[in-house]
Each structure stands twice: as structure tokens, then as C-alpha cells.
């Protein structure tokens, strides 16, 4: 006969029966269904698996949401009706240096004042809600949501919740009975993660280009591609870097943060169905690959477009909080013949989208691409080249403070509209040249203490005498498979070379050292992967650092008079002659800078 203590222990055992027991049939069904979907995906290929591809099936227990209904909005109907975001699926998370970034499978339209980030305290067993920092469009139909970094002892597996109407500010909700069962997946850190994966798909090339932090490859040099593999999975890679059924293919090119791999035959036969495939990269088949938040995307929206239907000349830039300078840069270069613009926005929080929308209403062909990855300018330019090669014969890669200019002496013909486009068109069918390089002249503050109201081309007129470096315009379909670049130029396919334009024919005016308040904002950070931030006590003698500036954003004595060796008003005179209103003298971009 059982004692009272024994009967009490049996009763407690029934009450605290493991929670996973009731979910086991559902999990088993999920695994079986996932396997069935994967088999259908593979069986759609009637041909053998592509050479260099291996199948590595790995079972992983599916993750079921254990969030209570008041957080997911899937519970009672009244809670769902009060929330603007009843179902938000977080596809990926990554710990950035100053925030936590979430990728959401829903297109959200800012502002989102009623959306909260959900943090899980692992010590006090509670949930904390905080308003999101910002929201941005990502890959056309998805969104980026930026949250505060999790506090100490909080899980990095942050979720999202639409705030119920009438409920404002951060709140704390106790949920001791379910928090211990919370799935604590590992969130990758920005210094070690695969962040983008792009199909390079045309009549000649059918690969995937994977962008990754943490490969630690040497800058500006090609790596041994035989050391790398790409892995494709229908599900996320878990904390052991495994997915639910994985295809593995061989890398065929690698450099810096970019790895190019073969595609599995099943994806080759079904590229339109590949958008939900997770991709990562590893050094060898037996090594654990990098954590990944990247899913395959196809940037080719003009598949099959003939070369004759492409734009002659396009431009690509990466910027951060440069909206006030964008109008001048685009209006001026459009007059020179640039027809298409790719703007890579590196986490701006100014009025960039409003400026782009206004310019597009004036028939400028501009697209903004959210590029949230900090210090990845080289990778961003490689990504842009993949997009542009389907639309553009030539692609210029330069910054919004850089302006192409055609010097001319008295008696010579004055360059007219579309002169830059006419220049590159002379080499479109060249069997030799795939890149045109133009030297840069660096301009100083020219005595100014504030940004010139008429724009940089008119306001800054004093520069250094010797040119610095160069900028390039490339034929994107003739770039090397590694997409290796040093921001200023790309590596070209074998058999092609670059053309150096003489300084007497064309230059780039680089308004590098502007009035102090403007320059100080630029001092805040650099976007290039291999250029040290000016605040860091490294490489003080580099050309990428301002001479004499040091590591602190403190205005040096006589800043307004520095970097001034030659007074050069050539571009100013050209702009005033060709762009200024004959009656008022105003320039078409002037009102946005006033």
C-alpha cells in the first residue's frame, strides 16, 4: 500500500509531465512533412545531381513556438483584432555593433510607433517590451527591424509584438510558467555570419555569390576556392550549424568577403523556387560552416534582356546620411548622360527616401537598396555589379562628393549634355578595354566655415595640386568571377585591361575635405571594409586618413584654409554657365541645400 508521501510524488509527476511530450506527435509530423517537401524539391530534377554537389541529410528537431498567445497575437480573437501586426515571422537575427537587427518576412511601412521588441530575461524569468528603433524595407517584400541591444542576462533571441491600441511605452510581463521552455537559439554576431546570397544568373553564368563576415581572407587578393564549400538548407542552420537536409557544393572563386559556388541541380532547374533556401559557407566539408541569416535572392529582374536593350551608362554609390547632397550629384551627372542609379543606403536616418521619391517624380531612374551591413563597401559594390550587369553596359562606382569633369582650354569645344555617356560608348564594343579610370583632385574647405548653399561644385574651389588615386567606370559583365575590388577599381576577366584617361581629357573633382561640420559627420565612420575608422589609433599615415587630423573629431587650427594649394574654378564656371537659371541665377539643386 502506497504511503501518503509516495502518492504525493506520483501526483506531482503527473502535474509536471514534460511539456515536450504533448508536442511530440506534432514535431514528428513536422519532420516527416519537411522531409516530404525536400524530396519533392529534389525529385523535380530528372537529371543527375550537378557535378561538385553532395547531399548531406541531417535531421533536426523542428522548432515549435512556445510563445504565449498574448505575444504572438495568435491567441484570443480580441487581442488579434487590436494589434496591427497579428503575425510577424522573424527569419533571422544578427548582433550588430550598436543594435540588434531582425529580418522579418513581412513588408512593414514606417513609421511603426506601435511595434515592440520582445526581450527575454533568463535570470528573472520575465519579458520586457521596448519600442523598435527603426524599420526599413529589405529585399522588396521583407523588412529590417532594428532593436536595442539586449541587456545583460537577456536572450538575443528577440521577437516582435504589435502593441495593442491604447497601450504605450515599455511594459514588463511575468511568465514564469513558460520561460524555462523558451527555445534559446544562438544569434550570430556581426563579425562571423553569412549575410547575403545572390543568384548570378544569365546566359553564361549560373552560380551563387555568398557574402560573409568571418572568412578573414586577405584584402585585395584572390583566395584558394578549393578550401570552401556552400551549404543549402530548407530550414535555418541551428546552433550546431546544421540544417534540415543539406545540399553542399564546391566553391569556384573566393576573395575578401565573397565566395562564389556552384548551384545544386535542383536549384538550376527551379530558380524561381529558390527564394526560401538558406545558404551558408564553410572552409571544408568536415568543418562547421558559418552561421547564416542569408536566403537566396535573384537580383536579375531583366532576365533575357539583350545587350542592345540595356542602359549605356549607370551609376552606383553607397552612402550614409547624404540626402542633402544627393540632388546636386544626380542632376549634374544625369546631364552628363547617366541614365540609371543604384543607391546603396548604409543605415541612413535622414530624408534620403523623400529626396529619391522627389527626383523620381522628375523622371530620374533611381532605386534605393537598403544595405544594413556596416563596413562592407567592397561587398556592396560587388553586389551592385551583379544587379547592374543585367541592365547596364557601363557602371560608374563613385561617391556623392565626387564629380566627373571635362577640362577645356579656350578654343576647344565645350563639353555638352551626355558627354560622359558618349565617352564610354566609344569603348562599348572594345575587345580590349573593360574599365575606364579617371584621376581625382581632392578639394579642401576653400575658406568656408559652413556648407555652400549653391552646392559643392560652386562652393569649393581650392584643391591639392597633385591628383590622388582614381575612380572607375566598368563593364559589369566583364568583371572577374571573384568580383574582387578595391572600391576604386575591379579586377577584370582575363584578356581585358583598363584605360587611363589623361588628366587633360577628364578628371574627378573629389570634395573630400569640406567645411568642418560637414567633414566631422564623415569622420564618424568609414564604410570600406579595409579602411580603419579615423577614431582608431591605426594607420595614421594612410591616404585614407585626413593629414594632421589625428583620431579625435576636434577641428584643427585653420581647418578652413587647409588642403588649398591650387585655386581651380573650372567646374564652378562650367556649372554656372550650364545649370544656373538665366533670370535668378539659382541652380536646380540649390533650394535643398539652403
Amino acid at each position: 500500500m502506497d504511503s501518503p508521501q509516495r502518492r504525493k510524488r506520483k501526483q506531482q509527476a503527473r502535474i509536471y509531465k514534460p511539456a515536450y511530450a504533448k508536442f511530440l506527435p506534432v514535431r514528428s509530423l513536422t519532420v516527416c512533412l519537411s522531409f516530404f517537401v525536400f524530396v519533392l524539391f529534389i525529385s523535380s530534377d530528372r537529371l543527375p545531381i550537378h557535378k561538385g554537389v553532395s547531399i548531406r541529410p541531417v535531421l533536426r528537431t523542428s522548432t515549435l513556438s512556445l510563445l504565449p498567445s498574448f505575444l504572438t497575437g495568435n491567441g484570443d480573437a480580441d487581442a488579434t483584432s487590436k494589434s496591427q501586426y497579428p503575425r510577424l515571422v522573424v527569419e533571422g537575427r544578427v548582433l550588430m555593433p550598436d543594435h540588434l537587427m531582425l529580418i522579418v518576412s513581412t513588408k512593414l511601412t514606417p513609421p511603426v510607433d506601435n511595434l515592440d521588441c520582445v526581450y527575454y530575461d533568463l535570470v528573472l524569468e520575465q519579458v520586457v517590451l521596448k519600442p523598435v528603433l527603426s524599420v526599413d524595407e529589405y529585399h522588396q517584400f521583407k523588412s529590417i527591424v532594428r532593436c536595442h541591444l539586449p541587456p545583460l542576462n537577456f536572450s538575443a533571441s528577440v521577437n516582435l509584438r504589435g502593441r495593442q491600441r491604447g497601450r504605450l511605452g515599455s511594459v514588463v510581463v511575468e511568465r514564469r510558467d513558460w520561460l524555462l521552455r523558451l527555445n534559446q537559439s544562438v544569434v550570430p554576431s556581426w563579425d562571423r555570419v553569412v549575410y547575403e546570397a545572390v543568384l548570378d544568373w544569365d546566359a553564361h553564368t549560373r552560380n551563387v555569390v555568398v557574402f560573409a563576415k568571418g572568412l578573414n581572407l586577405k584584402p585585395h587578393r584572390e583566395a584558394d576556392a578549393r578550401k570552401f564549400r556552400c551549404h543549402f538548407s530548407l530550414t535555418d542552420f541551428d546552433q550546431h550549424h546544421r540544417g534540415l537536409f543539406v545540399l553542399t557544393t564546391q566553391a569556384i572563386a573566393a576573395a575578401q568577403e565573397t565566395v562564389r559556388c556552384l548551384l545544386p541541380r535542383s536549384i538550376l532547374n527551379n530558380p524561381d523556387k529558390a527564394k526560401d533556401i538558406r545558404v551558408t559557407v564553410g572552409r571544408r566539408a568536415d568543418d562547421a560552416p558559418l552561421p547564416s541569416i542569408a536566403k537566396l535572392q535573384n537580383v536579375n529582374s531583366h532576365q533575357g534582356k539583350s545587350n542592345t536593350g540595356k542602359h549605356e551608362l549607370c551609376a552606383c554609390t553607397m552612402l550614409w546620411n547624404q540626402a542633402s547632397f544627393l540632388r546636386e550629384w544626380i542632376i549634374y551627372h544625369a546631364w552628363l548622360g547617366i541614365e540609371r542609379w543604384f543607391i546603396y543606403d548604409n543605415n541612413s536616418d535622414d530624408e534620403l527616401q523623400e529626396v529619391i521619391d522627389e527626383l523620381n517624380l522628375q523622371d530620374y531612374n533611381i532605386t534605393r537598396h537598403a544595405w544594413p551591413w556596416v563596413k562592407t563597401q567592397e561587398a556592396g559594390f560587388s553586389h551592385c555589379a551583379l544587379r547592374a550587369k543585367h541592365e547596364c553596359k557601363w557602371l560608374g562606382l563613385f561617391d556623392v562628393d565626387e564629380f566627373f569633369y571635362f577640362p577645356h582650354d579656350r578654343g576647344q569645344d565645350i563639353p555638352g549634355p551626355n558627354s560622359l555617356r558618349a565617352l564610354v560608348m566609344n569603348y562599348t564594343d572594345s575587345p580590349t578595354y573593360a574599365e575606364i579610370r579617371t584621376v581625382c583632385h581632392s578639394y579642401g574647405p576653400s575658406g568656408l566655415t559652413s556648407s555652400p548653399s549653391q552646392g559643392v561644385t560652386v562652393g569649393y574651389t581650392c584643391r591639392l595640386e597633385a591628383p590622388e588615386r582614381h575612380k572607375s567606370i566598368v563593364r559589369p559583365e566583364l568583371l572577374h568571377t571573384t568580383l574582387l575590388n578595391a572600391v576604386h577599381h575591379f579586377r577584370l576577366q582575363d584578356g581585358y585591361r583598363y584605360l587611363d584617361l589623361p588628366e587633360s581629357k577628364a578628371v574627378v573633382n573629389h570634395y573630400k575635405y569640406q567645411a568642418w561640420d560637414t567633414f566631422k559627420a564623415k569622420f564618424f565612420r568609414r564604410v570600406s571594409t579595409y579602411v580603419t575608422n579615423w577614431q582608431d589609433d591605426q594607420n595614421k599615415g594612410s591616404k585614407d586618413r585626413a593629414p594632421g587630423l589625428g583620431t579625435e573629431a576636434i577641428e584643427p587650427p585653420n581647418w578652413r584654409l587647409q588642403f588649398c594649394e591650387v585655386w581651380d574654378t573650372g567646374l564652378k564656371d562650367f556649372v554656372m554657365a550650364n545649370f544656373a537659371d538665366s533670370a535668378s541665377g539659382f541652380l536646380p539643386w540649390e533650394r535643398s541645400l539652403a
Side-chain angles (χ1 to χ4, degrees):
M1 185 173 179
D2 291 343
S3 65
Q5 291 82 4
R6 188 172 182 181
R7 287 195 301 271
K8 185 176 182 180
R9 285 195 298 269
K10 288 182 178 180
Q11 184 179 8
Q12 289 176 340
R14 288 193 297 269
I15 294 175
Y16 295 103
K17 186 178 181 180
Y20 62 80
K22 60 181 179 181
F23 289 118
L24 188 58
V26 179
R27 287 176 173 166
S28 300
L29 179 60
T30 302
V31 171
C32 293
L33 288 176
S34 298
F35 177 75
F36 179 68
V37 171
F38 190 80
V39 169
L40 286 179
F41 182 78
I42 297 300
S43 64
S44 65
D45 171 21
R46 297 183 180 180
L47 299 175
I49 298 299
H50 195 286
K51 183 180 179 181
V53 179
S54 61
I55 301 179
R56 181 164 55 88
V58 180
L59 284 177
R60 187 188 72 163
T61 306
S62 68
T63 302
L64 298 179
S65 174
L66 297 179
L67 300 182
S69 60
F70 75 92
L71 284 179
T72 63
N74 298 330
D76 68 62
D78 182 61
T80 302
S81 64
K82 291 179 181 179
S83 174
Q84 184 180 350
Y85 313 102
R87 289 176 178 84
L88 292 174
V89 178
V90 179
E91 292 187 354
R93 304 169 179 85
V94 59
L95 280 167
M96 304 300 287
D98 58 356
H99 66 276
L100 178 66
M101 192 187 78
L102 280 58
I103 298 176
V104 181
S105 61
T106 305
K107 185 176 181 179
L108 303 174
T109 302
V112 284
D113 298 332
N114 55 350
L115 184 62
D116 289 322
C117 302
V118 183
Y119 300 84
Y120 307 102
D121 190 328
L122 303 179
V123 175
L124 300 179
E125 302 176 7
Q126 64 183 13
V127 175
V128 175
L129 308 182
K130 294 184 179 181
V132 302
L133 292 172
S134 64
V135 170
D136 205 348
E137 180 181 336
Y138 184 63
H139 291 176
Q140 191 175 4
F141 299 111
K142 299 181 182 180
S143 299
I144 292 170
V145 178
R146 298 178 180 92
C147 299
H148 292 281
L149 290 174
L152 185 65
N153 297 325
F154 276 69
S155 170
S157 296
V158 173
N159 281 302
L160 295 171
R161 174 185 183 272
R163 189 181 306 146
Q164 294 180 7
R165 295 173 185 172
R167 192 174 191 174
L168 301 176
S170 302
V171 298
V172 178
V173 183
E174 298 287 344
R175 297 292 294 178
R176 299 180 63 90
D177 60 331
W178 63 267
L179 184 59
L180 294 178
R181 299 196 301 269
L182 180 65
N183 177 41
Q184 300 173 26
S185 62
V186 174
V187 176
S189 175
W190 173 232
D191 59 358
R192 192 173 183 273
V193 63
V194 171
Y195 56 93
E196 294 278 355
V198 180
L199 286 173
D200 188 6
W201 191 278
D202 57 31
H204 307 289
T205 307
R206 296 188 176 186
N207 306 141
V208 59
V209 179
V210 182
F211 299 86
K213 283 282 187 184
L215 297 177
N216 299 321
L217 304 184
K218 294 181 179 180
H220 317 317
R221 292 179 59 181
E222 184 177 1
D224 185 355
R226 295 172 297 179
K227 296 181 180 180
F228 298 95
R229 304 286 189 275
C230 287
H231 308 279
F232 305 81
S233 175
L234 291 178
T235 63
D236 294 348
F237 295 90
D238 63 14
Q239 60 264 38
H240 303 294
H241 312 295
R242 297 176 178 178
L244 185 64
F245 313 111
V246 178
L247 291 174
T248 299
T249 66
Q250 174 65 51
I252 56 176
Q256 299 182 161
E257 292 187 358
T258 305
V259 176
R260 181 186 293 270
C261 285
L262 299 171
L263 283 168
R265 178 68 69 179
S266 50
I267 296 178
L268 283 172
N269 289 350
N270 300 279
D272 295 334
K273 299 179 181 179
K275 63 178 182 178
D276 291 325
I277 302 298
R278 184 80 68 178
V279 185
T280 189
V281 63
R283 285 190 174 272
R284 291 188 301 273
D286 56 344
D287 283 351
L290 292 174
S292 176
I293 56 170
K295 289 186 176 182
L296 277 179
Q297 59 165 321
N298 189 354
V299 297
N300 181 6
S301 59
H302 299 268
Q303 189 170 348
K305 191 172 186 178
S306 66
N307 194 53
T308 56
K310 295 180 180 179
H311 300 295
E312 289 288 346
L313 180 59
C314 306
C316 179
T317 194
M318 183 178 295
L319 52 75
W320 172 72
N321 283 358
Q322 297 289 306
S324 58
F325 302 100
L326 190 64
R327 283 178 53 84
E328 179 182 12
W329 186 73
I330 285 182
I331 293 173
Y332 173 83
H333 285 102
W335 191 87
L336 290 181
I338 293 180
E339 306 164 288
R340 176 78 168 91
W341 308 84
F342 301 94
I343 308 298
Y344 275 56
D345 183 5
N346 197 212
N347 299 306
S348 297
D349 55 9
D350 57 2
E351 294 76 31
L352 177 63
Q353 187 62 58
E354 288 81 353
V355 173
I356 291 175
D357 291 342
E358 181 183 351
L359 288 168
N360 279 331
L361 288 176
Q362 302 174 42
D363 294 327
Y364 294 95
N365 189 3
I366 310 168
T367 54
R368 172 184 167 271
H369 182 83
W371 186 259
W373 322 117
V374 296
K375 290 190 72 64
T376 57
Q377 188 176 20
E378 291 84 353
F381 278 1
S382 296
H383 190 280
C384 187
L386 289 173
R387 298 178 67 196
K389 80 173 190 175
H390 304 291
E391 299 185 52
C392 312
K393 296 179 184 179
W394 289 92
L395 176 68
L397 301 116
F398 54 113
D399 299 330
V400 295
D401 59 357
E402 296 168 337
F403 289 74
F404 281 86
Y405 170 53
F406 298 92
H408 61 280
D409 297 325
R410 290 184 178 181
Q412 292 182 337
D413 293 335
I414 299 176
N418 302 318
S419 52
L420 183 58
R421 185 165 76 222
L423 171 67
V424 301
M425 287 174 64
N426 291 331
Y427 303 96
T428 297
D429 298 322
S430 171
T432 303
Y433 298 115
E435 180 179 16
I436 299 173
R437 295 185 180 181
T438 309
V439 298
C440 298
H441 281 300
S442 295
Y443 281 71
S446 306
L448 301 181
T449 57
S450 60
S451 295
S453 62
Q454 290 187 297
V456 298
T457 56
V458 173
Y460 299 114
T461 56
C462 197
R463 61 173 174 82
L464 297 175
E465 183 175 8
E468 290 183 333
R469 294 182 169 169
H470 56 265
K471 289 296 175 177
S472 66
I473 302 176
V474 300
R475 296 169 65 182
E477 78 278 7
L478 297 179
L479 301 180
H480 193 264
T481 55
T482 58
L483 297 175
L484 181 63
N485 70 86
V487 176
H488 308 285
H489 56 264
F490 272 84
R491 182 177 175 182
L492 305 175
Q493 292 181 14
D494 293 341
Y496 290 92
R497 59 191 181 93
Y498 60 85
L499 171 67
D500 268 326
L501 289 179
E503 189 175 341
S504 60
K505 188 171 184 179
V507 296
V508 170
N509 281 11
H510 184 188
Y511 300 101
K512 184 175 182 179
Y513 309 110
Q514 300 186 27
W516 176 252
D517 287 342
T518 303
F519 183 83
K520 182 171 64 174
K522 183 178 180 180
F523 176 95
F524 180 74
R525 65 170 184 170
R526 304 303 302 276
V527 295
S528 174
T529 309
Y530 304 103
V531 174
T532 303
N533 285 338
W534 288 334
Q535 304 98 313
D536 299 333
D537 191 12
Q538 300 177 26
N539 303 328
K540 290 185 176 181
S542 170
K543 291 182 179 180
D544 294 300
R545 304 183 70 96
L549 186 62
T551 60
E552 297 182 5
I554 299 174
E555 183 175 359
N558 297 320
W559 173 264
R560 67 185 183 88
L561 301 177
Q562 292 192 26
F563 316 107
C564 181
E565 297 175 350
V566 177
W567 288 96
D568 184 347
T569 63
L571 184 52
K572 173 184 177 180
D573 297 338
F574 178 81
V575 165
M576 295 304 296
N578 289 277
F579 291 87
D581 183 87
S582 58
S584 65
F586 280 91
L587 297 166
W589 52 79
E590 185 175 353
R591 60 187 178 84
S592 66
L593 296 177

